[in-house]
Amino acid sequence: MNRVTVTREGVIMHEGTVVDTEPLMYLGFETLLEDGFTLRSFFRVFEKYPRLQKLNAFFSSYMDQYKASPKDQCIYDGFDRLEFGKTVEMIGFPGKPRLEIYHSLFGVAGNEAVEIRSVPLENMLDMPLKLGKLKHIVFGDKVDVLEFDTVFNLFEFIDGIMWELGFQGTLTACELRR
């Protein structure tokens, strides 16, 4: 199976070997996270593999904030960990259905999801980051929510987190210019 593991230090491993040259060919591979992986680990990936920074036009703003943050103890008391999840929504069934698939990054306090948009990046860098489940939501006469184990490829993981961070109130790339 095509699978990579991303370490706490930001190293991409494939079949026990460090990916040292071309990370782009692994973007479609299933991704696992080493125990102890944090949001800081996520940014370390881009320090080790600068070509991956080109996946998002605003990435230099993310890196600037990361580099300006304290080197440790960047913890937010409002939740226990960060979780990256996938949602599939089936809307308009019965009737004219449509399907929407998206990824999200959120805090988890106990068993409750917590919005992270108002939490500065520097307060989350050392929070544990876990891969979550797929949530299947069917909107129709009633709302049904089912959860499943799922896989994430490396591109989904990178793009989904960058997308979610783009909605943070403190991200300079998304501020309105006057």
Side-chain angles (χ1 to χ4, degrees):
M1 172 166 252
N2 292 329
R3 180 181 294 152
V4 294
T5 299
V6 186
T7 71
R8 293 183 303 269
E9 293 78 28
V11 174
I12 299 171
M13 303 285 295
H14 178 252
E15 297 180 355
T17 304
V18 172
V19 172
D20 56 1
T21 55
E22 189 51 62
L24 297 179
M25 68 182 277
Y26 298 96
L27 288 175
F29 284 33
E30 177 185 353
T31 300
L32 304 174
L33 304 178
E34 183 179 53
D35 287 341
F37 193 89
T38 64
L39 191 56
R40 185 179 305 278
S41 304
F42 175 78
F43 283 97
R44 288 177 178 155
V45 170
F46 302 98
E47 290 178 323
K48 299 214 181 302
Y49 305 97
R51 289 190 71 181
L52 293 177
Q53 293 182 27
K54 300 210 181 283
L55 293 174
N56 185 288
F58 300 114
F59 199 76
S60 63
S61 293
Y62 302 119
M63 285 304 285
D64 290 346
Q65 286 186 22
Y66 162 71
K67 290 176 180 177
S69 296
K71 300 300 177 208
D72 59 12
Q73 300 303 314
C74 296
I75 302 291
Y76 180 67
D77 292 334
F79 46 81
D80 308 317
R81 71 179 184 277
L82 294 167
E83 192 166 295
F84 183 70
K86 186 184 299 187
T87 302
V88 175
E89 290 182 351
M90 188 171 174
I91 302 166
F93 181 81
K96 185 177 179 186
R98 78 177 195 271
L99 189 68
E100 294 182 5
I101 302 171
Y102 56 90
H103 298 92
S104 56
L105 179 67
F106 50 91
V108 178
N111 291 325
E112 298 293 319
V114 178
E115 185 70 45
I116 65 166
R117 292 182 182 180
S118 62
V119 181
L121 178 66
E122 67 186 30
N123 293 353
M124 297 186 295
L125 286 172
D126 295 314
M127 299 296 297
L129 175 57
K130 305 285 184 188
L131 297 175
K133 294 187 177 248
L134 178 138
K135 189 180 289 187
H136 180 84
I137 303 173
V138 180
F139 294 100
D141 293 339
K142 63 181 182 128
V143 176
D144 290 317
V145 178
L146 306 166
E147 287 191 349
F148 301 93
D149 289 331
T150 191
V151 297
F152 299 90
N153 67 40
L154 186 57
F155 178 77
E156 289 175 313
F157 179 65
I158 291 170
D159 185 62
I161 290 178
M162 287 192 289
W163 172 261
E164 196 69 38
L165 292 177
F167 290 102
Q168 283 191 282
T170 59
L171 185 62
T172 56
C174 293
E175 289 180 1
L176 294 176
R177 297 190 180 184
R178 296 177 192 209

